[in-house]
Amino acid sequence: MAPIRTQWNRLIRFVAAETGRVHIGQPVDPNVDVGLAAYERLLIKAYEITGAALDPAAQVTGNILTVQTLLSPLSNEEIKVVRCLGLNYSDHAEEAKLAKPAFPILFYKPLTSLLGPLGTIVIPRAAQPVKDHLPDYEVELVIVIGKPAKNVSEADALDYVIGYTGANDVSFRKHQFAVSQWGFSKSFDNTNPVGPCLVSSNVISDPQNVLLKCTLNGNVVQDGTTAEQIFNVRQTVSFLSQGTTLEPGTIILTGTPKGVGSAKNPPVFLKNGDKVTVSLSNGIGSLVNNVKEEGKERAKL
């Protein structure tokens, strides 16, 4: 199977100042961290892309548009399903004092949990008070499947990946640790930022060489690399495709490195008024999100 070849290198989705409509495009500046630039309200220009994000034939045009509002690179209508791996980094397993899993630990998320690059993370009443429920950050690399994948080998697995983006898998530890199934604790509405750029697999030829960082109120709390993954991207795509078709638009969150708040002493947890930033290298960029507890006014940092 031949790999997917896109015409674009980095894809963003946004509302354009010129039209007031949603477009996809490629940032004019190949080095700009689009998420940070959008948060700082800097001028961002993009070459309009005609076609759909998941269509490799989509073309980068010479038409330049101005980003008014930055959105996640894929709409919820384009995303087929959200698959997730837990406990997938050696250093994270070590800090959690847990054995490395023999098989991937899997769970799903609903689309309603997803959030834009600058959206507000909402801690619901069901996960308050925060000192008991321990809302936690998790910077993650996200795989985006670009063509139907079923029973694929590890050797061919990357041929089905159209690109990679980032996520913050905000998790609520009290609910998570109370049961063996993690879905409920990781599925609340507006708790999982995704983006900002979808970087083509043509550009990221080695997904085990991506740096991941998370800062909380300006302090670095996670600083890792996908080289620490227990099940790498090839293994993950192959495993999930056994007997099950991964449709184009399937996104796969691949776990988080060490540094999570629940493993610290004393525990660190997200709370009203916090600002959490997750950043990924190789052109993916940063998600910058304020935190709000449902029913409370957002505190000033």
Side-chain angles (χ1 to χ4, degrees):
M1 181 66 70
I4 299 171
R5 297 295 181 192
T6 63
Q7 305 301 310
W8 46 268
N9 291 329
R10 296 202 301 162
L11 181 147
I12 59 174
R13 193 169 65 96
F14 59 96
V15 176
E18 291 83 356
T19 67
R21 294 187 288 108
V22 175
H23 298 261
I24 56 174
Q26 175 162 281
V28 171
D29 182 347
N31 300 312
V32 66
D33 184 327
V34 175
L36 282 180
Y39 180 78
E40 295 170 358
R41 298 185 178 181
L42 301 179
L43 182 67
I44 304 169
K45 295 284 189 177
Y47 295 110
E48 183 180 13
I49 296 174
T50 57
L54 295 171
D55 181 1
Q59 295 289 318
V60 181
T61 72
N63 186 37
I64 296 178
L65 296 172
T66 306
V67 176
Q68 178 174 288
T69 305
L70 183 65
L71 307 171
S72 293
L74 297 177
S75 69
N76 281 11
E77 290 72 27
E78 291 173 306
I79 297 172
K80 292 297 184 183
V81 66
V82 184
R83 306 292 302 271
C84 309
L85 271 67
L87 203 66
N88 192 37
Y89 279 70
S90 298
D91 54 7
H92 177 43
E94 183 178 348
E95 74 172 351
K97 298 179 173 60
L98 295 170
K100 295 180 184 179
F103 299 93
I105 296 173
L106 305 172
F107 58 96
Y108 289 83
K109 282 177 176 276
L111 293 176
T112 52
S113 69
L114 304 182
L115 185 63
L118 304 181
T120 299
I121 295 167
V122 178
I123 299 173
R125 290 184 175 88
Q128 297 179 30
V130 292
K131 64 180 180 62
D132 296 330
H133 285 266
L134 302 178
D136 210 345
Y137 48 80
E138 291 190 3
V139 57
E140 307 209 6
L141 177 71
V142 180
I143 305 164
V144 180
I145 298 297
K147 57 186 175 184
K150 184 175 182 180
N151 298 328
V152 305
S153 67
E154 290 181 18
D156 293 337
L158 297 188
D159 293 348
Y160 296 84
V161 177
I162 194 169
Y164 303 91
T165 189
N168 186 353
D169 175 19
V170 174
S171 305
F172 298 83
R173 302 305 188 192
K174 180 178 179 180
H175 286 299
Q176 180 181 359
F177 298 150
V179 294
S180 61
Q181 296 292 328
W182 295 356
F184 181 74
S185 64
K186 291 171 172 277
S187 294
F188 295 130
D189 290 353
N190 299 315
T191 53
N192 194 128
V194 174
C197 284
L198 176 61
V199 178
S200 173
S201 55
N202 305 339
V203 175
I204 301 180
S205 58
D206 180 8
Q208 306 315 131
N209 190 31
V210 177
L211 304 178
L212 310 95
K213 183 178 290 187
C214 177
T215 62
L216 179 61
N217 300 326
N219 299 311
V220 176
V221 288
Q222 288 184 285
D223 192 359
T225 168
T226 53
E228 287 285 338
Q229 287 182 346
I230 297 168
F231 302 100
N232 64 31
V233 171
R234 287 183 182 273
Q235 292 169 316
T236 295
V237 172
S238 176
F239 181 84
L240 289 177
S241 76
Q242 298 308 305
T244 301
T245 301
L246 303 179
E247 296 183 272
T250 296
I251 68 172
I252 306 168
L253 280 67
T254 58
T256 197
K258 69 178 181 180
V260 297
S262 58
K264 297 183 185 298
N265 187 17
V268 173
F269 51 86
L270 301 177
K271 62 186 182 303
N272 202 56
D274 281 350
K275 183 179 81 171
V276 58
T277 302
V278 301
S279 303
L280 291 89
S281 68
N282 299 62
I284 295 172
S286 300
L287 301 163
V288 187
N289 305 94
N290 293 320
V291 179
K292 182 182 185 302
E293 294 176 43
E294 185 180 14
K296 292 186 179 181
E297 293 296 323
R298 193 172 77 84
K300 294 183 179 179
L301 292 177

